[in-house]
């Protein structure tokens, strides 16, 4: 049950698969080569997962901040992101630029080298510790883990930033404003009886359409200084709404001529229309 013992056997597995790959002629047996590559991917992912648990147990208050993850596109935030970063670092060190431009790759190579060297040091130190005292983490082990955690985070941010346009602090703030708008919209809809708590608790599919529709009305009429404010330019709005700037202006012009009763009827219809 000890994490260091688990790490030892997971590390053994990675070492064994790497040795099999190095002893195989990929041109003579490409099918087996692909099988081994898949095994390497899975064994490295398992190793990193155990290493993550070790760091949480050993250096929980010294972990490098991962706040930058909120800047990443949601499609990148997957469970195997760490393993993908490790594979990317190995490719860069080998001079292969699969996803990045060659100039970006050249700049990332020193970081990739430092990360992989740090990982090798971590593997060596943890193997030795697992064979001597598998239940403790001396200071030199902690120091090695802290360094690896920092280098991994720095490489992850740099690499992803070279692939996609990460969100700016301004865009993150705008998204938070949208979250607040949606929360206020739901609260108002509950008070006015447009929605019920049972619909929300039961994840009623219709809410996927209802809440955004009501949020547009709330953002244009009830919270006009919020994220849907048309006093700002399209460039100042969140990318969620900026492409529809002109359409939002037309909607607002139509809403202004409605009476309170007509607005209420419109909102109720938006809660039922598909």
């Amino acid at each position: 049950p000890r994490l260091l013992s688990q790490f030892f056997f997971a590390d053994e597995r990675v070492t064994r698969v790497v040795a099999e790959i190095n002893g195989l002629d990929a041109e003579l047996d490409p099918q087996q080569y692909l099988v081994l590559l898949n095994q390497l991917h899975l064994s490295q992912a398992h190793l990193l997962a155990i290493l993550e648990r070790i760091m949480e147990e050993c250096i929980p208050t010294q972990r490098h901040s991962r706040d930058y993850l909120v800047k990443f596109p949601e499609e990148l935030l997957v469970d195997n992101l760490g393993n993908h970063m490790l594979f990317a670092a190995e490719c860069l060190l080998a001079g292969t630029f699969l996803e990045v431009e060659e100039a970006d790759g050249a700049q990332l190579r020193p970081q990739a080298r430092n990360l992989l060297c740090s990982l090798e040091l971590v593997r060596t130190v943890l193997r030795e510790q697992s064979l001597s005292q598998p239940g403790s983490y001396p200071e030199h082990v902690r120091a090695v883990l802290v360094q690896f955690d920092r280098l991994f985070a720095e490489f992850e941010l740099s690499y992803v930033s070279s692939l996609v346009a990460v969100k700016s602090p301004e865009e993150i703030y705008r998204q938070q404003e949208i979250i607040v708008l949606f929360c206020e919209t739901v609260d108002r809809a509950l008070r006015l009886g447009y929605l019920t708590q049972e619909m929300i608790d039961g994840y009623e599919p219709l809410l996927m359409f209802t809440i955004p529709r009501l949020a547009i009305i709330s953002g244009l009429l009830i919270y006009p200084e919020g994220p849907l404010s048309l006093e700002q330019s399209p460039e100042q709005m969140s990318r969620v709404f900026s492409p529809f700037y002109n359409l939002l202006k037309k909607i607002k012009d139509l809403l202004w001529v409605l009476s309170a009763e007509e607005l209420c009827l419109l909102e109720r219809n938006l809660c039922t229309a598909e």
Side-chain angles (χ1 to χ4, degrees), residues 3 20 22 43 49 58 84 96 103 107-108 119 122 128 130 148 175-176 184 186 190 195 208 211 218 220 230 248 251:
L3 286 176
E20 290 184 45
N22 291 336
S43 59
C58 181
H84 184 77
T96 304
Q107 291 185 342
L108 288 166
L119 177 59
V122 165
E128 293 174 352
S130 67
F148 170 74
Q175 289 190 346
Q176 291 173 337
E184 295 288 348
V186 171
L190 287 172
L195 306 176
M208 295 177 60
I211 294 176
S218 295
L220 293 174
L230 298 179
L248 290 171
I251 293 175

Side-chain angles (χ1 to χ4, degrees), residues 91-157:
C91 289
L92 288 171
L93 198 59
T96 304
F97 310 111
L98 295 179
E99 299 177 309
V100 298
E101 297 292 334
E102 186 172 349
D104 293 330
Q107 291 185 342
L108 288 166
R109 283 190 72 184
Q111 281 185 287
R113 181 182 297 106
N114 291 338
L115 172 60
L116 294 176
C117 288
S118 179
L119 177 59
E120 285 304 308
L121 180 58
V122 165
R123 291 176 63 184
T124 300
V125 168
L126 290 183
R127 281 173 61 89
E128 293 174 352
Q129 189 64 24
S130 67
L131 292 172
S132 58
Q133 294 177 297
S136 63
Y137 300 101
E139 185 56 39
H140 75 279
V141 173
R142 296 174 184 270
V144 168
L145 290 172
V146 168
Q147 181 188 49
F148 170 74
D149 189 45
R150 176 180 59 81
L151 291 174
F152 198 104
E154 291 175 350
F155 177 77
E156 185 174 57
L157 176 58

Side-chain angles (χ1 to χ4, degrees), residues 260-272:
E261 292 77 11
E262 290 171 330
L263 179 61
C264 179
L265 180 61
L266 172 62
E267 291 183 307
R268 289 192 178 278
N269 287 334
L270 290 177
C271 294
T272 56

Side-chain angles (χ1 to χ4, degrees), residues 4-20 39-40 43-44 46-47 50 123-124 126-128 130-131:
L4 282 176
S5 298
Q6 295 178 33
F7 183 88
F8 177 85
F9 289 108
D11 186 74
E12 284 278 283
R13 175 62 176 164
V14 171
T15 302
R16 185 164 59 250
V17 175
V18 169
E20 290 184 45
Q39 291 180 6
L40 178 61
S43 59
Q44 284 181 328
H46 182 54
L47 184 72
I50 296 175
R123 291 176 63 184
T124 300
L126 290 183
R127 281 173 61 89
E128 293 174 352
S130 67
L131 292 172

Side-chain angles (χ1 to χ4, degrees), residues 62-97:
Q62 297 172 277
R63 298 295 304 272
H64 194 84
S65 173
R66 295 303 199 277
D67 289 347
Y68 60 81
L69 289 175
V70 301
K71 298 181 178 182
F72 290 1
E74 292 184 3
E75 59 269 19
L76 291 183
L77 299 178
V78 293
D79 292 338
N80 63 344
L81 179 59
N83 200 40
H84 184 77
M85 290 299 103
L86 182 58
F87 177 71
E90 292 170 340
C91 289
L92 288 171
L93 198 59
T96 304
F97 310 111

Side-chain angles (χ1 to χ4, degrees), residues 219-240:
L220 293 174
L221 293 185
I222 302 171
Y223 309 107
E225 297 180 359
L228 288 184
S229 173
L230 298 179
E231 298 299 320
Q232 57 188 337
S233 66
E235 293 75 20
Q236 295 173 308
M237 298 181 73
S238 168
R239 286 179 290 181
V240 175

